[in-house]
Amino acid sequence: MAWRRHLPALASAAAGINEASDAWDAVSDSLCDADGWPLDDEVYADGKVKRDAEAWKHAEVFLDHGPEVLAGVRAAADGPDYVEGPISDDLRRLRGIDTTLLRAEELRHEWDQIMALMDGSQPGSLQLYQERAEEHRNSEGWHYAHELSYQGPALVRVGEYLADRADVERPAQTERARVALTRSTPSARGVSPASPPVPPASHPPSPGRFR
């Protein structure tokens, strides 16, 4: 279960997305009038830019570590896990995570292509285009980060549960294998079965004496 080593990073990333969202929610209302319109468009836009940038940074952690964990979770989960039990609800929450990760990865690939095309630009132009491209990527990526804000914790909970279950089951399986091996192997201290008696060699009868 090598995928379990990625769980702490995913847990931290999920928390980071939620923190970025909560920080924006805490101030966004105060930046708007009673009808919900921004009091200052520039200040409001800057707040969203900051939220999107922070959220995307954590979403990329899911792109780096999430697919391996997701594949491991699906290999370790049993059929009954999807029907009932402590992780059934979280497994259902993961049904759309493939699409989320795929679309976010496409967005990152698009960003890489843009950066490659601008590689030969003048330093001043490059910085300007890069900032605009980053804002566009982060703004588009907010939707996927928001999806991961609840799909991500579900993936972490399922992964931790299955990893803990494997830790409990592995010693039991090892013990059952040891007992089975002991039963199938003759004890070194036991008495070896006696060898069957060797029949005496037959000899031709001695010739009789004639008087």
Side-chain angles (χ1 to χ4, degrees):
M1 301 181 70
W3 51 265
R4 69 190 301 175
R5 71 183 188 276
H6 300 295
L7 292 176
L10 295 185
S12 178
I17 294 173
N18 282 300
E19 287 173 5
S21 179
D22 292 343
W24 169 246
D25 290 342
V27 299
S28 59
D29 288 344
S30 65
L31 301 177
C32 298
D33 60 21
D35 296 325
W37 293 98
L39 297 171
D40 186 315
D41 290 339
E42 185 175 351
V43 172
Y44 189 85
D46 288 345
K48 289 186 67 176
V49 167
K50 181 180 179 181
R51 177 203 66 181
D52 295 346
E54 186 68 15
W56 176 255
K57 178 181 68 176
H58 296 298
E60 284 197 298
V61 176
F62 277 92
L63 297 182
D64 295 333
H65 302 281
E68 184 176 347
V69 173
L70 185 61
V73 159
R74 287 177 172 162
D78 297 328
D81 290 326
Y82 290 86
V83 179
E84 59 183 1
I87 59 173
S88 58
D89 289 341
D90 281 332
L91 285 171
R92 282 190 286 271
R93 291 187 181 95
L94 296 181
R95 288 174 181 171
I97 195 172
D98 301 86
T99 302
T100 303
L101 293 174
L102 177 62
R103 297 290 182 266
E105 184 59 47
E106 289 175 349
L107 184 61
R108 181 163 70 170
H109 180 64
E110 178 184 325
W111 157 260
D112 291 338
Q113 289 181 318
I114 292 174
M115 289 297 98
L117 290 173
M118 294 194 304
D119 187 47
S121 302
Q122 294 296 324
S125 300
L126 177 60
Q127 181 178 0
L128 177 61
Y129 290 145
Q130 182 174 350
E131 289 176 356
R132 291 179 178 177
E134 281 182 354
E135 287 186 15
H136 173 74
R137 178 201 62 190
N138 298 343
S139 176
E140 292 292 316
W142 165 249
H143 170 73
Y144 309 120
H146 180 64
E147 295 286 323
L148 290 170
S149 69
Y150 61 89
Q151 292 172 336
L155 179 60
V156 172
R157 288 191 296 267
V158 169
E160 290 175 344
Y161 175 84
L162 292 173
D164 291 342
R165 186 171 71 182
D167 288 342
V168 172
E169 291 177 348
R170 191 176 297 110
Q173 293 171 349
T174 302
E175 178 62 16
R176 288 195 295 270
R178 187 192 66 78
V179 172
L181 182 63
T182 301
R183 289 175 177 173
S184 62
T185 304
S187 175
R189 293 177 295 180
V191 178
S192 300
S195 300
V198 178
S202 57
H203 300 283
S206 301
R209 294 186 178 187
F210 296 94
R211 294 184 181 272

